[in-house]
C-alpha cells in the first residue's frame, strides 16, 4: 500500500488562485465563444466549435432532431450528464443556433432552480412569460417538493394550464418550428413538469421539439411519473461523455494558449473525470507553468472551494468533523475509521446530513464500505481549511485507526512537520521490506518521506537518490524526471550515476544511459559494496534489453547474480531477463531452462511479475502464443500485489501484440486503449513504439486511416534511440504503407532494418520483419536484391525450427519465385508456408500468406486456384475486421473473372437490359478502371494488383477506347462499378 498521505507535507503549497478576467469570464463567455463558431457566425461550423467540448456528435443529433421537427414530427430529447458535463453549454449553443441561424424557429425556454421549485408553475411562467401561480390558501408554501398536482392544482386546473400551453404551441408551430427548452429539469417545479408531460403526450404531427437537460444523480427530485416518461422509449436520450485527453489538449491550446503534454492531459482527466466545467476551471485558474512539470495532485477550483466553504458553514459540528476525518483518511475512509478519527458517535446521522447537503455519502459494494465526497476537489478543499494543529491531531488519530503498515507510517509522517530520525529509520526499513517484493512505488514514497525527516543532509541526499531510483523502477518516469536536476546537482557517486543512467534508459536515451551506467560501474566497488555494484549491473542488463544485445544482457545479468543472493531484487530482476539474452544469441534451450529456474526462485509477489513478463516474451517468439498470453495477462496488473508500472506496461504492450497474433483484435484494441492512458500518464518513451506499433498496424488493417496515422506518429522516435524503440517504430510505418499498397514507402522504412536489426548465426532478431522486406522488394521489382537477402536469411543456422519463422520464409520465397515466373514452384512454397501454420491459431499470418498466394496465382493466370485461395484470405480478414484487405481481396477476386458478385436473373429480360453493362470490360480491366477512377496512379494500381506498370497502361488504353474517352478525369466521371 502507498504512503500517499505523507506527501501532504511535501507537496507544493497552492496559493488561492486568482480568477483572471482575460482567461475566465464564466459560462456566458464560454457560450459566446461557442456560438461564434456555429454556422452563420464568422463562417464556423459545429465541428470546429464543439470539438472543444467533445460534443460535436451530440450537437449534430440535435440538429437532426430539429430537421425531423421541421417535417411535422414532434420530438422529445433529454440531454443527460452530471454537473459540469457541459449540458447547459450545449443547450445554449443549440438555442443560439435556433435563434440566429435556423430560420423560422421560435424558442420557449425555462431554467430549473432549487429555490423556484417551491413556487408552483414557476417554470410554466418562464415559458409563457407570466407571473408564477400563488396560492391564496398557502402563500408561504414550505420547502417540500410537490410530487403530484393535488397540493395546489386540482385536475381541472392542471388540464386548463396544459390546454393553454398546448394551444399556444399549436398556434406558434403554424408559423414555423418551435423549440421548448428546459435546463436542469430536475429543479423545475412539479406542477410545471406535470403540465409539460401532459402536453408532450398529446401533441401529434406538430412542429415542436421539447429539449430538456437532466442530471441523472438528481433524478430522484423529478416526480416518478414524469421521470418514467422522460426515460421511456418515446424519448430520445443523449448522454454527454467526458472529454478525452486529446480533447483536453485541444481545448487548452485553442482557449487558453496552453500546450499541454499528454501526461498533463491524462492527469487532468483523472482528476476531473474529464467533465468540461472543472477542466475549464483548472486551465483558467492555474498558472500555465503548472502543466509543464509533474504534479502529485491538483488543487480544487475557486468554485469548489467556495461551495465547500458554504456547505461547511451551514453544517453541524458532527458533519464538519466527519468531513475533516474523511479528507485526512482519503481512500481509506471506512465508516469505522471515520468514526474513530472524527470522534463522532452518530456517524450515520452525520452521513445522512452530508448526503442531503450534497457533500458526501456512503459507498458500499462487496469489497468496501467507504465514505466519499461527491465532487472532485472536495477532499482537497476540506483538507486545506483544517488548521495545521488539528491536521496533526487528526493524522495521529488516523495512524492509530488504519490497519495497513504503509498507511500508518504515512499518517505519522503527515503528523511530523520537522526532522525525526527514528521515524526516518522505520521508513527506511519499510522501504527495504517492500523492495524485496518489488513494490517500488511504496519504496520511493517511503524513502522520500525518510529523506525529508533526516537530520543529516548527506543521509537525506542518499535516501533521496534511492527514492528517485525506486521511482524509475516503479515506472513513474514523469515524477522521476522532475527530480533529475536535483540528482544531477548532487556530488558525483556511483549511486548518482546509476540513478541518472537508469532514468535515461527508461526515457529512451541510449547514449546518455550508456555513459552514466559505465561511469557508475567504473566507480563502484564490488568487493566493498557488492549490493550497490549488483544494482548497477542490473541497470546495464536493462540497457542491454533495450539495445537487444544478447551478450550485453547475459554478461551483466551473470555479474549481477554473482554479486547477490537468490531472492534479492537485483538477482531476481537480472534472472528474469537473462533468458532473453540467451535467446538473442540463438541459445533457445538454455533460454527455456533459464526461465524454469527463474520461476522456481520467484515468490508469489510483485517480483514474479518480472519473470512472467520475460517468459512471455520468449514464449511469444517461440510460437507458444497461448502461454505468452497467460504470462502477459498475469504480469500486467499491479493493483493488488504492487509491482512496477514499467513492467506492467511492457507486459501490456506485448499482450496487445499477442492478441493481434491470435486474432483477437477487439481485445488488442482494448488493451492498447487501456495501456495508453497509463503510458502517457507515466511518460515512458521506451515502451511507446512497442505499444503503438500494434495499434498502427491494427487500424491500418481495419481502414481507419486517421487513427492509424495518429498511432504511427505516436510510435515515431528520434535517431539514436534504442533498437527496441526504433524497430517497432519502423514496423508501424511499414505496415501503414503496406496496407495502402505503397510498397516503395514501405521498402524505404524497412531497408535500414537490415543493418539495424540483422539476423546472423550469433544474433537472433526478435521482430519478424524479414518477410515484409522481401515482399516490398518483390512488389517494387527488385527481384535480385530480394533473392540475395532471402537466400542469406534461409542459410542462417538455427538451433530449432520455429513454425511461424519457417512459414514467413516459405511465403516470401513463394512470392519471389512467382514473380520470377515459376508459379508451380511458387505454389509449393505457399502451401509449405500454410502447412507450417497447421495446428497453430494464427489467423492473421494465415490470411497474409493466403492473400499473397492468391494474388500471385491470379497474376500467373491460375484463376480458379487464385479464386479459391483468395476466398479463404477474405474470410480470414473479414473475421478480423480487416476491412482494408477485405477490399483488396474483393478486387483480386474480381480480377480473376470468376467472382463477379450478384448478377441479375437471366430469365428477366427487362432487368438484364436495364442493369446489364453497356461497356464490356475484362476482369483485369474492371479492376484497373476501379482503382484509376478512384484516383490511383498507374504505379499505385500496378502495386495494388501485382501487375507491371506497362500492363496497367495497356489496360487503361483499352478502357479509354471502349468508353470513348481520353483522360483519367473523364474515366472518373464516366465509370461506375457496374459499367
Amino acid at each position: 500500500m502507498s504512503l500517499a498521505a505523507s506527501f501532504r507535507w511535501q507537496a507544493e503549497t497552492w496559493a488561492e488562485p486568482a480568477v483572471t478576467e482575460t482567461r475566465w469570464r464564466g459560462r456566458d463567455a464560454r457560450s459566446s465563444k461557442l456560438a461564434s463558431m456555429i454556422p452563420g457566425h464568422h463562417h464556423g461550423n459545429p465541428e470546429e466549435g464543439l470539438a472543444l467540448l467533445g460534443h460535436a456528435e451530440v450537437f449534430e443529433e440535435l440538429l437532426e432532431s430539429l430537421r425531423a421537427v421541421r417535417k411535422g414530427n414532434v420530438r422529445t430529447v433529454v440531454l443527460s450528464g452530471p454537473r459540469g458535463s457541459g449540458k447547459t453549454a450545449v443547450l445554449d449553443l443549440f438555442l443560439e443556433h435556433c435563434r440566429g441561424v435556423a430560420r423560422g424557429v421560435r424558442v420557449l425556454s425555462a431554467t430549473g432552480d432549487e429555490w423556484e421549485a417551491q413556487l408552483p408553475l414557476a417554470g410554466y411562467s418562464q415559458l409563457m412569460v407570466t407571473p408564477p401561480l400563488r396560492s391564496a390558501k398557502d402563500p408561504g408554501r414550505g420547502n417540500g417538493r410537490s410530487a403530484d398536482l393535488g397540493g395546489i392544482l386540482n385536475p381541472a386546473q392542471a388540464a386548463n394550464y396544459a390546454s393553454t400551453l398546448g394551444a399556444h404551441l399549436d398556434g406558434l408551430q403554424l408559423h414555423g418550428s418551435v423549440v421548448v427548452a428546459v435546463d436542469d429539469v430536475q429543479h423545475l417545479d412539479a406542477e410545471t413538469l406535470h403540465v409539460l408531460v401532459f402536453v408532450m403526450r398529446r401533441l401529434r404531427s406538430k412542429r415542436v421539439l421539447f429539449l430538456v437537460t437532466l442530471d441523472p444523480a438528481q433524478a430522484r427530485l423529478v416526480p416518478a411519473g414524469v421521470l418514467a416518461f422522460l426515460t421511456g422509449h418515446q424519448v430520445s436520450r443523449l448522454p454527454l461523455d467526458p472529454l478525452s485527453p486529446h480533447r483536453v489538449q485541444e481545448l487548452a491550446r485553442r482557449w487558453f494558449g496552453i500546450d499541454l503534454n499528454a501526461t498533463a492531459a491524462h492527469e487532468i482527466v483523472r482528476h476531473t473525470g474529464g467533465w468540461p466545467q472543472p477542466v475549464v476551471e483548472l486551465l483558467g485558474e492555474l498558472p500555465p507553468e503548472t502543466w509543464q512539470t509533474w504534479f502529485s495532485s491538483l488543487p480544487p477550483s475557486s468554485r469548489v472551494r467556495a461551495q465547500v466553504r458554504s456547505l461547511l458553514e451551514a453544517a453541524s459540528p458532527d458533519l464538519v468533523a466527519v468531513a475533516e476525518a474523511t479528507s485526512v483518511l482519503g481512500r481509506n475512509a471506512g465508516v469505522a475509521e471515520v468514526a474513530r478519527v472524527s470522534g463522532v458517535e452518530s456517524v450515520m446521522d452525520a452521513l445522512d446530513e452530508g448526503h442531503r447537503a450534497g457533500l458526501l455519502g456512503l459507498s458500499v459494494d462487496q469489497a468496501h464500505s467507504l465514505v466519499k465526497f461527491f465532487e472532485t476537489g472536495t477532499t482537497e478543499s476540506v483538507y486545506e481549511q483544517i488548521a495545521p494543529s488539528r491536521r496533526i491531531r487528526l493524522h495521529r488519530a488516523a495512524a492509530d485507526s488504519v490497519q495497513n503498515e504503509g498507511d500508518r507510517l504515512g499518517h505519522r509522517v503527515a503528523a511530523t512537520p520537522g526532522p525525526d530520525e527514528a521515524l526516518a529509520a522505520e521508513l527506511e526499513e519499510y522501504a527495504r521490506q517492500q523492495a524485496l517484493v518489488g513494490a517500488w512505488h511504496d519504496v520511493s514514497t517511503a524513502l522520500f518521506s525518510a529523506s525529508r525527516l533526516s537530520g543529516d543532509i548527506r543521509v537525506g541526499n542518499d535516501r533521496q537518490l534511492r527514492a528517485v531510483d525506486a521511482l524509475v523502477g516503479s515506472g513513474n518516469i514523469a515524477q522521476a524526471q522532475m527530480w533529475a536536476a536535483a540528482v544531477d546537482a548532487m556530488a558525483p557517486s556511483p549511486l548518482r550515476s546509476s540513478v541518472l543512467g537508469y532514468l535515461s534508459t527508461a526515457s529512451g536515451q541510449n547514449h546518455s544511459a550508456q555513459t552514466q551506467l559505465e561511469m557508475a560501474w567504473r566507480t563502484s566497488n564490488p568487493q566493498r559494496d557488492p549490493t550497490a555494484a549488483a544494482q548497477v549491473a542490473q541497470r546495464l542488463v536493462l540497457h542491454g534489453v533495450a539495445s537487444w544485445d544478447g551478450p550485453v544482457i547475459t554478461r551483466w545479468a551473470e555479474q549481477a547474480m554473482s554479486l547477490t543472493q537468490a531472492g534479492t531484487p537485483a538477482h531476481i530482476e537480472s534472472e528474469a531477463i537473462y533468458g532473453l539474452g540467451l535467446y538473442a544469441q540463438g541459445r533457445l534451450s538454455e533460454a527455456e531452462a533459464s526461465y524454469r529456474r527463474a520461476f522456481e526462485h520467484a515468490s508469489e509477489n510483485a517480483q514474479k511479475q518480472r519473470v512472467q513478463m520475460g517468459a512471455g516474451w520468449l514464449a511469444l517468439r517461440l510460437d507458444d502464443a497461448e502461454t505468452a498470453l497467460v504470462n502477459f495477462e498475469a504480469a500486467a496488473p499491479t493493483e493488488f500485489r504492487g509491482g512496477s508500472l514499467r513492467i506492467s506496461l511492457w507486459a501490456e504492450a506485448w499482450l496487445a501484440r499477442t492478441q493481434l497474433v491470435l486474432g483477437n483484435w477487439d481485445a488488442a484494441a482494448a488493451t492498447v486503449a487501456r495501456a495508453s492512458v497509463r503510458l502517457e500518464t507515466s511518460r515512458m518513451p521506451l515502451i511507446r513504439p512497442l505499444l503503438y506499433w500494434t495499434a498502427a498496424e491494427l487500424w491500418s488493417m481495419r481502414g481507419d486511416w486517421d487513427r492509424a496515422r495518429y498511432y504511427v506518429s505516436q510510435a515515431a522516435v528520434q535517431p539514436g534511440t534504442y533498437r527496441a524503440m526504433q524497430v517497432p517504430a519502423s514496423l508501424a510505418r511499414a505496415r501503414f504503407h503496406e496496407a495502402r499498397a505503397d510498397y516503395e514507402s514501405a521498402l524505404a522504412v524497412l531497408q535500414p532494418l537490415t543493418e539495424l536489426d540483422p539476423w546472423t548465426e550469433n544474433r537472433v532478431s526478435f521482430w519478424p520483419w524479414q518477410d515484409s522486406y522481401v515482399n516490398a522488394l518483390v512488389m517494387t521489382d527488385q527481384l535480385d536484391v530480394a533473392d540475395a537477402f532471402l537466400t542469406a536469411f534461409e542459410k542462417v543456422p538455427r538451433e530449432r525450427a520455429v513454425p511461424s519463422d519457417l512459414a514467413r520464409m516459405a511465403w516470401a520465397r513463394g512470392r519471389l519465385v512467382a514473380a520470377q515466373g515459376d508459379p508451380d514452384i511458387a505454389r509449393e512454397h505457399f502451401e509449405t508456408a500454410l502447412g507450417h501454420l497447421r495446428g497453430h491459431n494464427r489467423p492473421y499470418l494465415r490470411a497474409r500468406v493466403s492473400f499473397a498466394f492468391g494474388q500471385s496465382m491470379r497474376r500467373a493466370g491460375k484463376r480458379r486456384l487464385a479464386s479459391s485461395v483468395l476466398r479463404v484470405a477474405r474470410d480470414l480478414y473479414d473475421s478480423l475486421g480487416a476491412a482494408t484487405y477485405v477490399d483488396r481481396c474483393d478486387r483480386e477476386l474480381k480480377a480473376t473473372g470468376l467472382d463477379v458478385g450478384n448478377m441479375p436473373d437471366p430469365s428477366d429480360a427487362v432487368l438484364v437490359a436495364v442493369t446489364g453493362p453497356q461497356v464490356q470490360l475484362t476482369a483485369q480491366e474492371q479492376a484497373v478502371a476501379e482503382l484509376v477512377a478512384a484516383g490511383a496512379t498507374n504505379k499505385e494500381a500496378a502495386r495494388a494488383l501485382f501487375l507491371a506498370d506497362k500492363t496497367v497502361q495497356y489496360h487503361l488504353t483499352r478502357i479509354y477506347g471502349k468508353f470513348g474517352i481520353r483522360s483519367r478525369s473523364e474515366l472518373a466521371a464516366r465509370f461506375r462499378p457496374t459499367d
Side-chain angles (χ1 to χ4, degrees), residues 695-975:
E697 183 169 355
L698 188 154
W699 294 113
S700 295
M701 297 297 292
R702 288 191 161 178
D704 191 332
W705 300 113
D706 288 338
R707 279 200 203 185
R709 286 189 187 91
Y710 170 75
Y711 284 118
V712 168
S713 68
Q714 292 297 98
V717 297
Q718 298 296 322
T721 52
Y722 282 110
R723 184 180 284 114
M725 299 169 68
Q726 292 188 63
V727 175
S730 297
L731 291 179
R733 292 169 57 202
R735 285 286 191 257
F736 175 82
H737 293 312
E738 185 182 69
R740 297 178 70 87
D742 183 359
Y743 293 101
E744 287 88 352
S745 297
L747 181 60
V749 173
L750 293 169
Q751 175 64 48
L753 296 185
T754 59
E755 296 183 4
L756 177 66
D757 187 39
W759 190 320
T760 66
E761 182 176 355
N762 299 316
R763 185 190 182 281
V764 175
S765 170
F766 194 88
W767 300 272
W769 53 266
Q770 295 79 9
D771 55 331
S772 297
Y773 176 59
V774 172
N775 187 53
L777 287 169
V778 172
M779 299 300 280
T780 53
D781 297 323
Q782 300 184 50
L783 305 186
D784 292 341
V785 178
D787 196 3
F789 174 83
L790 184 56
T791 300
F793 184 59
E794 290 168 333
K795 290 180 179 179
V796 174
R798 294 166 173 80
E799 179 185 312
R800 184 192 313 164
V802 176
S804 63
D805 288 343
L806 296 176
R808 290 188 179 91
M809 285 190 288
W811 88 260
R813 178 59 70 181
R815 177 68 106 178
L816 176 60
V817 171
Q820 291 171 331
D822 195 338
D824 294 329
I825 299 299
R827 176 178 180 175
E828 293 179 9
H829 285 295
F830 281 119
E831 290 177 343
T832 298
L834 292 172
H836 287 310
L837 298 177
R838 192 171 295 117
H840 295 273
N841 179 27
R842 302 293 182 274
Y844 182 24
L845 184 54
R846 283 179 57 214
R848 284 177 60 82
V849 174
S850 298
F851 176 76
F853 186 7
Q855 190 182 51
S856 299
M857 294 301 102
R858 191 267 304 159
R859 186 181 186 186
K862 297 181 177 293
R863 295 187 300 159
R864 292 196 178 279
L865 173 60
S867 176
S868 176
V869 176
L870 286 167
R871 283 197 189 110
V872 172
R874 189 196 187 283
D875 290 344
L876 287 169
Y877 280 129
D878 190 47
S879 69
L880 299 172
T884 299
Y885 272 79
V886 169
D887 291 344
R888 292 185 68 177
C889 286
D890 286 340
R891 286 200 298 269
E892 292 291 335
L893 286 166
K894 280 187 179 181
T896 65
L898 299 178
D899 291 70
V900 294
N902 296 325
M903 299 294 291
D905 185 351
S907 64
D908 189 335
V910 174
L911 185 60
V912 171
V914 171
T915 61
Q918 297 177 355
V919 176
Q920 295 291 336
L921 299 180
T922 67
Q924 290 272 18
E925 290 169 350
Q926 180 87 5
V928 169
E930 286 186 10
L931 288 169
V932 173
T937 65
N938 286 10
K939 183 173 288 188
E940 289 170 341
R943 298 295 175 261
L945 296 172
F946 197 21
L947 299 171
D949 292 359
K950 292 181 179 179
T951 304
V952 170
Q953 183 58 53
Y954 169 76
H955 287 311
L956 208 51
T957 301
R958 289 177 56 83
I959 293 167
Y960 286 174
K962 290 182 178 182
F963 277 106
I965 57 178
R966 297 183 179 181
S967 68
R968 307 170 81 87
S969 58
E970 288 183 275
L971 176 62
R974 290 282 306 278
F975 179 76

Side-chain angles (χ1 to χ4, degrees), residues 264-329:
H266 278 86
E267 282 299 323
I268 290 174
V269 169
R270 183 184 63 81
H271 180 77
T272 63
W275 299 116
Q277 184 180 20
V279 169
V280 169
E281 289 171 347
L282 286 175
L283 290 172
E285 294 179 6
L286 297 183
E289 56 269 21
T290 302
W291 315 109
Q292 305 310 314
T293 184
W294 180 86
F295 39 85
S296 59
S297 62
L298 289 168
S301 67
S302 297
R303 176 186 59 81
V304 174
R305 277 192 176 97
Q307 178 178 293
V308 169
R309 189 180 299 116
S310 175
L311 289 172
L312 292 180
E313 287 174 354
S316 68
D318 281 357
L319 175 56
V320 172
V322 165
E324 291 177 345
T326 301
S327 72
V328 166
L329 287 163

Side-chain angles (χ1 to χ4, degrees), residues 48 379 382 393 401 407 463 501 551 577 628 768 847 914 952 957 972:
E48 291 174 352
T379 300
V382 174
R393 291 195 300 272
S401 302
D407 293 326
R463 288 166 174 165
I577 298 177
V914 171
V952 170
T957 301

Side-chain angles (χ1 to χ4, degrees), residues 548-591:
W548 196 245
D549 188 325
V552 169
I553 297 172
T554 53
R555 173 196 167 191
W556 290 109
E558 289 166 358
Q559 183 75 69
M561 289 187 289
S562 69
L563 293 170
T564 55
Q565 295 181 350
T568 58
H571 192 284
I572 290 177
E573 293 189 26
S574 298
E575 190 173 32
I577 298 177
Y578 183 61
L580 294 178
L582 293 170
Y583 170 79
Q585 298 172 72
R587 298 155 64 181
L588 275 62
S589 298
E590 293 179 70

Side-chain angles (χ1 to χ4, degrees), residues 79-113:
L79 280 177
S80 65
R83 181 167 52 186
S85 61
K87 302 186 298 297
T88 299
V90 173
L91 178 63
D92 288 350
L93 179 63
F94 178 69
L95 296 184
E96 191 70 23
H97 170 78
C98 292
R99 294 185 181 106
V101 180
R103 296 182 178 179
V105 178
R106 177 70 181 271
V107 175
L108 306 182
S109 64
T111 299
D113 177 80

